[in-house]
Amino acid sequence: MSRSDHTILITGGAGFIGSSLVRSCLRDTTLTVINLDKLTYAGHRESLSEVLEDPRHTLIVGDISDRELVAQTLRDHRPQAIIHLAAESHVDRSIADPPSFATTNVLGTCVLLEAVTDYWQKLPTDDRAAFRFLNVSTDEVFGTAQPGEQFTEMSLLAPNSPYAASKAAGELLARSFGKTYGLPVVTANPSNNYGPRQHPEKLIPRMILAAARGEPLPVFGDGLYERDWLHVEDCCRALLAILDQAQPEERYLVGANQCLQNLEVVATICDLVDEFLDDRSSRRELIAHVIDRPGHDRRYAVDASVLRSKTSWQPQIKFDLGLRETVGWYLNHSDWVSAVLSKEISR
Ligand SMILES: NC(=O)c1ccc[n+]([C@@H]2O[C@H](COP(=O)([O-])OP(=O)(O)OC[C@H]3O[C@@H](n4cnc5c(N)ncnc54)[C@H](O)[C@@H]3O)[C@@H](O)[C@H]2O)c1
């Protein structure tokens, strides 16, 4: 079933993945996009600069926890699908302030689900059957993968950080709305995304910007933690493929089978920044091991073979090329970096 001519509501569409998804929808489909985003410290109009004037894109600044605003948005725009990305997303912030993660990722998701269910129940029968609520969770809900293990759709929820626990709770709420009210819920669990416009608090942009400034590069513990890197554009293509083809209650893991240790990633960033800035520096010397993050998951690794077999999706961006492009993007977009960081300071 193709949803290409429909209207979709994206929550969190001014964030890292969301803004990339909005651009993908406008570039690669004929979808009309309603973008509901609170513009927290992590959401930025600057990330949407090319699409703010596009007639197929409407940005509504508001909170998923605002039941009346969500209901009004649904009544006004009548979407045939929701892709729910809005969240607090940074593990370290969740360790410092767990309640704000419960507020957005659990309570906010619950309010959104309730408003969407109310809207969905009043749709004509055919539209109800075709409707999808695509809940974007994370591979972090499965906890730590053992050496050699990859998470699958059968993996059990075992979250270890307050962030992962709040996402797991959001997943369970979404599942319950499917079971209790029949809302056609689909779940996606992507692995670690990277690419342009990711907030500078996250590992890859943080290291690029610190390396460029010649500052110490703090690496947690021994640095041998493994993450399965997925380019944000590959993630967005996967989300659209899932939206197009998934049946209610299905779960899809999304990953590109590119597991690397953090230390390797940081060392490669050093080499790329050395090369781009061409200043005869050796930035690997800036790597500084710092005290480990509590509850730190040792390894994430994702088996995306179900997604690859049920849809035509394949990851297209190899990590070495994607990382090179990402380093170049950050070094050439100091305007975006300044806008994002100044917003945080002014709050
Ligand atoms: N980035 C990753 O590596 C990754 C991997 C797997 C899953 N995810 C999930 O994908 C989603 C997007 O991640 P991201 O990295 O783009 O996050 P992000 O922090 O860059 O963006 C989150 C967006 O949500 C918005 N938002 C926050 N609270 C809101 C609220 N109450 N109402 C409306 N909008 C609100 C923010 O303004 C921001 O634009 C999240 O749900 C995250 O858990 C991310």
Side-chain angles (χ1 to χ4, degrees), residues 5 49 61 79 90 212-213 227 326:
D5 293 330
S49 50
V61 179
H90 190 44
R213 292 193 285 256
R227 300 292 179 258
T326 302

Side-chain angles (χ1 to χ4, degrees), residues 140-267:
E140 299 191 29
V141 296
F142 304 119
T144 291
Q146 296 308 307
E149 184 200 4
Q150 288 185 311
F151 299 132
T152 71
E153 284 71 12
M154 303 307 290
S155 295
L156 298 179
L157 299 183
N160 289 324
S161 69
Y163 162 67
S166 69
K167 293 295 292 183
E171 260 198 37
L172 293 176
L173 279 167
R175 174 193 151 93
S176 78
F177 274 71
K179 295 286 183 192
T180 305
Y181 308 106
L183 185 70
V185 170
V186 174
T187 306
N189 299 84
S191 64
N192 276 65
N193 276 229
Y194 73 101
R197 301 179 191 79
Q198 186 169 32
H199 193 281
E201 68 191 356
K202 302 285 170 55
L203 179 74
I204 287 181
R206 185 172 172 202
M207 295 297 155
I208 296 170
L209 296 172
R213 292 193 285 256
E215 292 171 3
L217 304 175
V219 171
F220 282 131
D222 61 9
L224 304 183
Y225 292 82
E226 280 179 59
R227 300 292 179 258
D228 194 344
W229 293 101
L230 173 68
H231 195 279
V232 65
E233 288 189 15
D234 277 331
C235 181
C236 292
R237 276 189 280 272
L239 295 178
L240 290 174
I242 293 168
L243 184 69
D244 209 36
Q245 301 193 26
Q247 295 305 312
E249 300 195 4
E250 286 183 342
R251 174 196 293 282
Y252 288 88
L253 269 59
V254 187
N257 209 5
Q258 304 186 106
C259 273
L260 289 164
Q261 292 176 338
N262 288 349
L263 205 51
E264 290 177 81
V265 172
V266 176

Side-chain angles (χ1 to χ4, degrees), residues 325-344:
E325 173 236 36
T326 302
V327 170
W329 189 91
Y330 278 94
L331 296 181
N332 286 315
H333 288 82
S334 50
D335 48 346
W336 182 91
V337 173
S338 305
V340 165
L341 293 178
S342 68
K343 179 172 174 189
E344 174 140 41

Side-chain angles (χ1 to χ4, degrees), residues 120-132 182 184:
W120 168 78
Q121 283 172 334
K122 297 182 181 113
L123 291 175
T125 309
D126 288 354
D127 292 351
R128 273 212 306 276
F131 192 88
R132 294 289 179 270

Side-chain angles (χ1 to χ4, degrees), residues 11-18 36-44 62-65 84-89 104 136-139 163 167 189-194 198-199 201-202:
T11 69
F16 166 49
I17 300 178
L36 175 61
D37 196 298
K38 190 179 174 184
L39 299 184
T40 67
Y41 81 95
H44 304 281
D63 194 323
I64 53 167
S65 308
H84 176 39
L85 290 149
E88 289 295 336
S89 69
T104 297
V136 182
S137 185
T138 164
D139 65 348
Y163 162 67
K167 293 295 292 183
N189 299 84
S191 64
N192 276 65
N193 276 229
Y194 73 101
Q198 186 169 32
H199 193 281
E201 68 191 356
K202 302 285 170 55

